[in-house]
Amino acid sequence: MTERPHLAVVGAGPAGLAGALAAAARGVRVTLVDAAEQAGGQFYRQPAAALGARRPQALHHQWRTWERLRDGLERHVDAGRVTHLTDHHVWCVEGESGAFAVHALRGPAQEEGVTVRADAVLLATGGYERVLPFPGWTLPGVVTAGGAQAMLKGGLVLPGRTAVVAGTGPLLLPVATGLAAAGARVAALVESADPKALVRRAPVLAAQPGKLAEGAWYSGQLVRHGVRVLPRHTVVEAHGADRLEAVTVAGLDRDGRLRPGTARRIPCDTLAVGHGMLPHTDLAETLGCTLSGTDVRVDGEQRTDVPGVWAAGETTGIGGAALALAEGHIAGRSVAARLHGTTPDPRRWATASRSRTRLREFFAALDAVYTPPADWADRITDDTVVCRCEEVTAEQVRTAVDTLGAGDVRTVKLLTRAGMGWCQGRICGPAVAGLTGCPFTPGRRPFARPVPLGVLAALPEQETD
Amino acid sequence: MNPWELAQARPGAAFTVTFDGRPVEALPGQTVAAALWAAGVTSWRSTRGAGRPRGVFCGIGVCFDCLVTVNDRANQRACLVPVRPGDVIRTQEGTGRDDD
């Protein structure tokens, strides 16, 4: 081989960056393809440069890690080892080992196609938030918890003055404290799980002193900002005519059912809500990678079962930025060895490997605790819109199941259009599965985002190396 | 405290865009959604079926709820599209196409 082997990394969050740096440091030419204007992904989403933020670290955690990644990327880009394609929205990766084509749409307009050719691909596509419907969830002012955080980190804006942060999962803590630090009044943090249940998993926690300190820090911030924490509570309904005006929250019993007489109304103009995260797996599925559950399956080297395709970070299972870094690093080292025709020695990444094991155990423990309340699907009223794009109500889904005999999500989709809209079921998928009585499985989407027909028609002419 | 003070931001000079005909101040670097939020606007689409108001939901380009018409181009994701001086932003009714 006369030229250095070429790796395309899809996604410039912690996993993609760690992978790109590890591979570039070991003689691999890397093209980092990312949808955002700046590297960082969702976790390290940066304010737009033109906003002139002199203290972006005030919006972030583990800033030093970000500085290391950012500076490393800059060095490799300057040295010509990494090409960083910003504002490139990848819609499909095709090919086989040694000859992959990464198809992207360029710029915010997403009308112009670009193809990157590479010997290997690292999928670091991250994840997005799962939100389970409840009456009123389509009102303006109701946003995903991660969305509120993204708008704050990237655009330095708040959706309103008084926020309730609700749902379940560890993301709610940084969202509540972040909104409060930026000047929002956070009226309540409503968590359906009982975080005390984590104590029963003490051994796993004890292995994560850093995570314990992080939890303690968030608790301190909640106290400091006067955020009322309501564990084992849930949002029953969001109220308002054309805009959110209040939410009703209620307590949950041990079985996750509403406790009678506990409902209370909290006035607010913002509800930041989320029920955990889901991996982006579209590109992996189109390539033929096997999933286990919702996650791309990988081996100890972060290889998928498709030769030449690696995956790291949330796409292989939700586990946060630190796990993404460890996985990305291992993937980058494995790619470098394999593309140079050698077998990597896992002892060389033993530290990252130990960190990966511990963090996976930790997030498995979190997952077991932060589950949505048992009868969330039963509490969706008939008139609640479940599929936000196609405006399909819970009643229509229930009719498809109970009256028309649909026994799976696909049949429900064909009968109701739930999941056929712009988002292609990414948002309503878990809810439709819940209402249908089926386990949630990721939908198969050959195209990871809408592609103009002109781009498809023009593909052969627009290929670049 | 507000987000600007927290991040010690010194944005470039503000410019004017219009939202449904009225002037709105925007800043370089903001997305259309951020500019509208900063102006106190939280909805800029009415749905095709029930005509219900929608705005930002996921904030990261996944849900397509924040679709808006910018400079006569419908179906732009407000959370992704940068705002530009002079932009004419309009509430998107239904599909955003006049013939529907």
Side-chain angles (χ1 to χ4, degrees):
Chain A
M1 195 178 291
T2 52
E3 214 176 85
R4 279 187 301 166
H6 185 199
L7 167 70
V9 178
V10 183
L17 283 171
L21 299 187
R26 289 164 183 81
V28 175
R29 182 163 70 95
V30 177
T31 301
L32 179 59
V33 192
D34 188 54
E37 248 177 53
Q38 298 177 76
Q42 299 305 338
F43 189 79
Y44 286 120
R45 179 185 279 264
Q46 302 297 310
L51 293 174
R54 288 170 299 154
R55 252 189 107 245
Q57 58 268 45
L59 306 161
H60 285 276
H61 299 279
Q62 280 105 45
W63 186 253
R64 245 176 270 162
T65 305
W66 164 245
E67 288 178 318
R68 188 171 57 75
L69 294 169
R70 179 195 63 193
D71 297 348
L73 176 63
E74 199 180 305
R75 272 197 308 277
H76 285 302
V77 168
D78 288 347
R81 290 185 289 263
V82 174
T83 305
H84 181 193
L85 301 179
T86 59
D87 247 330
H88 278 61
H89 306 255
V90 177
W91 54 270
C92 183
V93 182
E94 55 174 355
E96 52 196 57
S97 196
F100 290 99
V102 178
H103 300 294
L105 298 169
R106 194 148 53 180
Q110 299 188 30
E111 286 178 333
E112 185 194 351
V114 179
T115 299
V116 174
R117 305 210 162 266
D119 304 311
V121 178
L122 168 56
L123 301 173
T125 45
Y128 63 101
E129 216 163 357
R130 175 174 63 174
V131 185
L132 302 171
F134 49 88
W137 78 309
T138 53
L139 281 171
V142 180
V143 297
T144 69
Q149 191 183 41
M151 292 285 288
L152 174 59
K153 285 177 176 177
L156 304 179
V157 282
L158 294 169
R161 291 168 190 277
T162 304
V164 169
V165 178
T168 188
L171 177 64
L172 302 184
L173 286 169
V175 171
T177 56
L179 292 176
R185 193 176 83 79
V186 179
L189 169 53
V190 183
E191 165 61 66
S192 65
D194 184 359
K196 283 208 286 292
L198 272 174
V199 177
R200 287 198 292 276
R201 297 164 195 275
V204 177
L205 293 185
Q208 289 293 331
K211 289 286 175 196
L212 284 182
E214 207 177 311
W217 185 85
Y218 282 126
S219 303
Q221 290 294 304
L222 292 172
V223 172
R224 187 184 145 199
H225 292 294
V227 177
R228 185 168 37 149
V229 180
L230 299 172
R232 287 198 8 217
H233 277 68
T234 191
V235 170
V236 181
E237 184 170 358
H239 309 279
D242 288 330
R243 205 206 177 293
L244 180 69
E245 289 159 16
V247 294
T248 295
V249 303
L252 295 163
D253 68 15
R254 225 167 258 290
D255 300 320
R257 296 195 159 71
L258 294 184
R259 283 193 286 132
T262 57
R264 69 181 100 170
R265 195 177 166 109
I266 304 176
C268 58
D269 57 17
T270 301
L271 173 63
V273 61
H275 302 95
M277 303 257 301
L278 290 169
H280 278 298
T281 52
D282 303 323
L283 300 178
E285 278 212 276
T286 304
L287 277 162
C289 305
T290 301
L291 304 194
S292 59
T294 58
D295 313 331
V296 178
R297 190 193 290 168
V298 288
D299 67 7
E301 290 181 34
Q302 299 295 137
R303 289 181 298 180
T304 71
D305 58 354
V306 173
V309 181
W310 280 254
E314 308 290 39
T315 189
T316 70
I318 301 303
L323 177 57
L325 286 172
E327 292 186 354
H329 179 77
I330 292 168
R333 295 184 74 131
S334 165
V335 167
R338 297 283 173 189
L339 285 184
H340 286 113
T342 61
T343 304
D345 178 359
R347 285 173 300 185
R348 305 288 295 274
W349 60 64
T351 309
S353 179
R354 273 195 301 275
S355 164
R356 178 177 64 181
T357 304
R358 280 202 306 265
L359 286 162
R360 282 181 181 166
E361 284 170 358
F362 178 72
F363 275 87
L366 287 187
D367 244 16
V369 171
Y370 291 107
T371 53
D375 56 353
W376 63 267
D378 300 336
R379 279 204 296 274
I380 305 175
T381 54
D382 269 345
D383 60 348
T384 300
V385 165
V386 171
C387 167
R388 301 172 67 101
C389 301
E390 295 297 307
E391 297 170 84
V392 180
T393 62
E395 183 181 27
Q396 288 172 279
V397 175
R398 287 180 176 130
T399 301
V401 175
D402 299 336
T403 309
L404 304 175
D408 59 83
V409 171
R410 186 180 147 75
T411 308
V412 168
K413 176 176 166 177
L414 293 174
L415 290 169
T416 67
R417 297 194 58 83
M420 281 192 193
W422 273 101
C423 88
Q424 288 289 289
R426 287 179 178 86
I427 304 297
C428 70
V432 173
L435 285 167
T436 309
C438 297
F440 172 68
T441 49
R444 297 189 74 99
R445 304 178 191 99
F447 292 177
R449 56 187 80 243
V451 184
L453 285 172
V455 169
L456 291 178
L459 262 182
E461 285 79 43
Q462 295 202 349
E463 286 174 7
T464 56
D465 271 312
Chain B
M1 184 60 76
N2 63 48
W4 300 96
E5 289 169 21
L6 182 68
Q8 293 182 11
R10 279 192 191 158
F15 52 80
T16 306
V17 299
T18 62
F19 173 66
D20 288 343
R22 73 179 168 90
V24 168
E25 289 268 284
L27 292 166
Q30 282 180 326
T31 58
V32 168
L36 291 176
W37 269 19
V41 179
T42 50
S43 65
W44 47 79
R45 178 167 81 92
S46 67
T47 59
R48 303 194 309 275
R52 297 294 296 151
R54 297 280 176 86
V56 168
F57 184 61
C58 83
I60 61 169
V62 174
C63 77
F64 294 81
D65 240 3
C66 68
L67 295 178
V68 68
T69 300
V70 183
N71 301 330
D72 290 328
R73 217 172 144 239
N75 297 318
Q76 301 298 297
R77 276 171 282 181
C79 73
L80 295 183
V81 175
V83 67
R84 307 276 186 220
D87 274 351
V88 178
I89 304 162
R90 283 192 296 116
T91 291
Q92 176 167 331
E93 310 284 348
T95 61
R97 295 186 189 94
D98 296 336
D99 52 350
D100 281 314

